[in-house]
Amino acid sequence: MKTFFYTICFIFLVGCSGNTENENCKFLLNINFNIPLNLNLPQYSQLQFAGNSIYVPNVGNGGIIIASTGADFLAWDARDPNHAQTSCSILVNSGLEATCGCDDENTYSLVTGQALGTNPLPCSLRNYRVQKNGNTLYISNQ
């Protein structure tokens, strides 16, 4: 019985972890939204082809970027999570990458959300939920 008790205690101790949230990753606000995108409309037609991405303004912190991998659609906040909100911190998408307009030109993968390049960055892109129903994508942070 003691062995069982110690085993359970050990599992709880190992399973609990400290708060590993990075204090540098608090530049993005949690803004609720839920938008539909009809893939039949010309402004979203590029998403029908793998390796393309589009920018949608006036959603989230700095707009959103939707990427098509061919197998799936991914949505990311278009504001650089490693910068305070400034005019240069909006990401510019090109294919499956996005680059910050600030002097450091942080570049991110629109497949993984991780920073690309040799300098590691503490924050990755904020991912949003994407659901496809017919030819409509529903993108939200809920």
Side-chain angles (χ1 to χ4, degrees), residues 8-18:
I8 296 297
C9 288
F10 176 76
I11 290 171
F12 278 113
L13 288 174
V14 172
C16 296
S17 63

Side-chain angles (χ1 to χ4, degrees), residues 96-128:
L96 294 177
E97 292 184 1
T99 303
C100 174
C102 298
D103 290 339
D104 55 10
E105 296 182 334
N106 294 338
T107 302
Y108 299 89
S109 166
L110 294 177
V111 176
T112 65
Q114 298 297 312
L116 302 173
T118 56
N119 294 334
L121 297 172
C123 312
S124 59
L125 295 179
R126 178 173 287 173
N127 183 262
Y128 293 124

Side-chain angles (χ1 to χ4, degrees), residues 22 25 71:
N22 189 326
C25 296

Side-chain angles (χ1 to χ4, degrees), residues 17-76:
S17 63
N19 185 0
T20 59
E21 185 176 336
N22 189 326
E23 289 297 318
N24 294 323
C25 296
K26 296 196 181 230
F27 293 122
L28 300 179
L29 303 173
N30 190 17
I31 300 170
N32 289 329
F33 66 90
N34 187 359
I35 63 165
L37 299 179
N38 184 338
L39 296 177
N40 291 328
L41 295 175
Q43 62 265 40
Y44 308 127
S45 64
Q46 289 299 311
L47 290 176
Q48 296 179 22
F49 306 101
N52 287 332
S53 59
I54 62 159
Y55 171 74
V56 179
N58 305 318
V59 182
N61 288 277
I64 56 174
I65 297 174
I66 298 102
S68 171
T69 64
D72 207 357
F73 295 96
L74 302 164
W76 309 96

